[in-house]
Amino acid sequence: MSALATVRAAEGLDAFLDQLEERLEEAVASRPGVVREIGAETLAAGGKRLRPLLVFLATPPAARTGEQAVAGGAAVELVHMATLVHDDLLDGAEMRRGRPTAWAAYGAEAAKSAGDHLFACAFVQLARTGDARAVTLLADATLALARGEALQRRQAFRPDTSVDDYLARCSLKTGKLFEAACLLGGASLGAFGLALGVAFQIADDILDCSGDREATGKAGGVDLKDGTPTLPLILAAGRDPLVWRALAGEDVPNALERVQASGALEDARELAREFAARARAALDGEPDRTSLEALTHAVVDREA
């Protein structure tokens, strides 16, 4: 059985996902106008629902389809959706998952408002449960996302960005929401979520350099074009002066091919596997270790 099939076989997952999709549809339709249209289109574009899956797997089996788990799963996915809308606006990305992005279709102001609306919808989900701890967890993660985005802007077109500084950004932009998803499940899986989030982000950055646009739904080479110093680009820049110049903002023909030829993608994949191993090391005593371990493999070895 493949890693992904093992995860999908978790008891109760189908029922949870059905409730989750229904809740997300209700949330994005809660207000009329353009924000509802953009929210509905963002939701219809699909996604891995990985963050809600973490909430599900971190929740004790008897409570996995209860209100707390469904609300938590919806909340983290709505935050993720909001960041996608805002990131596409900031990056000037015109396509995501094979569809026009919100700002490309509706304009910058509408996209900004829709992203803000999705953030608000996320906190409505948790506020209705009356769980102040859950609201605080998600608020802290959302603040970390904002700090990570600011850090990424400061690092732009800086090929001298260190690997440690890159990993710090990954922890803020991706790891903290994974961590929050695990903690919303009520289990002590924060360290697992944080390490898994970093592994996921490294794998995502590798896909930007090597992924098939038809599979990923995004154009390749966006990070290089935007001067975002990801792990494969940092490693390649240290080996190839022309990649260094490209990451600094110069127009260098075939720069992405030079990244691929440098061996940086393979070395970046090894570090992603190290973080996946750290995540597995945090699973001692967890009742659903099989599914959680399988998830670490699925995250690192994915092609989309």
Side-chain angles (χ1 to χ4, degrees):
M1 183 181 290
S2 69
L4 198 54
T6 298
V7 175
R8 288 174 174 165
E11 186 176 353
L13 179 58
D14 288 342
F16 170 80
L17 291 175
D18 287 344
Q19 292 182 64
L20 175 73
E21 293 302 319
E22 186 176 320
R23 184 68 60 90
L24 290 172
E25 290 173 8
E26 291 174 356
V28 300
S30 61
R31 293 290 185 275
V34 174
V35 292
R36 178 164 64 186
E37 291 180 32
I38 294 175
E41 290 184 14
T42 304
L43 183 59
K48 303 172 187 65
R49 305 294 188 253
L50 179 56
R51 293 149 190 86
L53 177 60
L54 286 172
V55 176
F56 173 83
L57 292 175
T59 299
R64 283 178 170 175
T65 55
E67 172 60 21
Q68 199 75 21
V70 175
V76 293
E77 187 66 10
L78 287 163
V79 165
H80 176 55
M81 290 167 58
T83 64
L84 295 182
V85 172
H86 281 171
D87 283 352
D88 287 340
L89 172 60
L90 289 169
D91 296 340
E94 296 187 357
M95 298 292 291
R96 179 180 287 276
R97 296 171 183 156
R99 296 170 178 241
T101 57
W103 84 267
Y106 293 90
E109 289 302 317
K112 181 179 181 298
S113 297
D116 293 344
H117 173 67
L118 291 169
F119 274 121
C121 288
F123 286 95
V124 167
Q125 293 296 314
L126 295 183
R128 286 175 176 167
T129 69
D131 186 344
R133 169 186 168 275
V135 173
T136 300
L137 281 171
L138 192 61
D140 288 345
T142 304
L143 289 171
L145 286 170
R147 289 170 54 211
E149 184 62 39
L151 184 57
Q152 179 168 309
R153 300 296 150 183
R154 288 201 299 273
Q155 293 174 350
F157 300 105
R158 292 287 306 271
D160 60 340
T161 300
S162 70
V163 172
D164 284 344
D165 286 344
Y166 162 79
L167 292 174
R169 188 178 85 222
C170 289
S171 294
L172 291 169
K173 278 204 70 175
T174 308
K176 296 301 287 185
L177 189 56
F178 277 53
E179 177 187 62
C182 288
L183 294 174
L184 285 171
S188 55
L189 283 173
F192 170 84
L194 187 61
L196 184 68
V198 174
F200 177 91
Q201 187 59 58
I202 296 172
D204 212 50
D205 293 340
I206 294 168
L207 284 172
D208 182 71
C209 295
S210 66
D212 178 351
R213 178 170 183 165
E214 188 173 335
T216 63
K218 297 182 287 186
V222 172
D223 292 329
L224 186 59
K225 177 178 69 70
D226 292 342
T228 302
T230 63
L231 181 60
L233 296 181
I234 292 168
L235 296 177
R239 300 169 185 178
D240 186 330
L242 287 178
V243 175
W244 180 285
R245 288 163 56 184
L247 188 52
E250 292 187 37
D251 183 13
V252 178
N254 302 320
L256 192 60
E257 287 81 356
R258 299 184 75 92
V259 173
Q260 295 167 354
S262 71
L265 304 189
E266 293 79 6
D267 290 343
R269 183 82 63 187
E270 281 305 307
L271 188 56
R273 291 190 176 112
E274 285 183 27
F275 274 91
R278 292 186 196 184
R280 289 191 292 275
L283 290 177
D284 287 345
E286 293 303 323
D288 200 353
R289 184 180 180 115
T290 299
S291 295
L292 291 165
E293 277 195 347
L295 189 59
T296 67
H297 295 290
V299 157
V300 172
D301 297 326
R302 63 199 170 93
E303 297 182 357

